[in-house]
Amino acid sequence: TYVIAQPCVDLKDRACVEECPVDCIYEGKRMLYIHPDECVDCGACEPVCPVEAIFYEDDTPEEWKPYYNANVEFFNDL
Ligand code: SF4
């Protein structure tokens, strides 16, 4: 799955939402989240993010790895 990290916080550009073919990017209070089960790993969202907040899960920079769990927890709490 792809993961949205810190640069999205309080920005929520939403360019990625337009690109996602399966509409699996959802809006939270302070950032957007990718549904880990619905994402088909197409990668379309990653290059359109103006602040490079989106990463393939294994490529997420070390300091932003916790965002993987933040994405999962967002959907657990729904
Ligand atoms: Fe949507 Fe593709 Fe991005 Fe997954 S990788 S969130 S399916 S655009």
Side-chain angles (χ1 to χ4, degrees):
T1 186
Y2 277 69
V3 175
I4 300 178
Q6 204 270 330
C8 184
V9 176
D10 293 331
L11 180 73
K12 299 201 287 189
D13 178 83
R14 297 182 186 79
C16 57
V17 176
E18 304 294 313
E19 291 300 317
C20 181
V22 294
D23 292 331
C24 69
I25 304 176
Y26 297 77
E27 186 163 349
K29 261 204 185 75
R30 295 187 61 194
M31 61 178 285
L32 303 176
Y33 297 94
I34 294 173
H35 195 301
D37 298 329
E38 295 176 5
C39 175
V40 295
D41 289 348
C42 73
C45 54
E46 190 247 304
V48 301
C49 178
V51 293
E52 294 178 36
I54 308 178
F55 301 89
Y56 181 64
E57 56 182 313
D58 292 343
D59 299 334
T60 310
E62 203 53 45
E63 71 268 33
W64 292 339
K65 293 257 194 247
Y67 280 88
Y68 174 82
N69 285 332
N71 277 247
V72 172
E73 281 162 18
F74 174 74
F75 294 102
N76 285 343
D77 289 346
L78 286 186

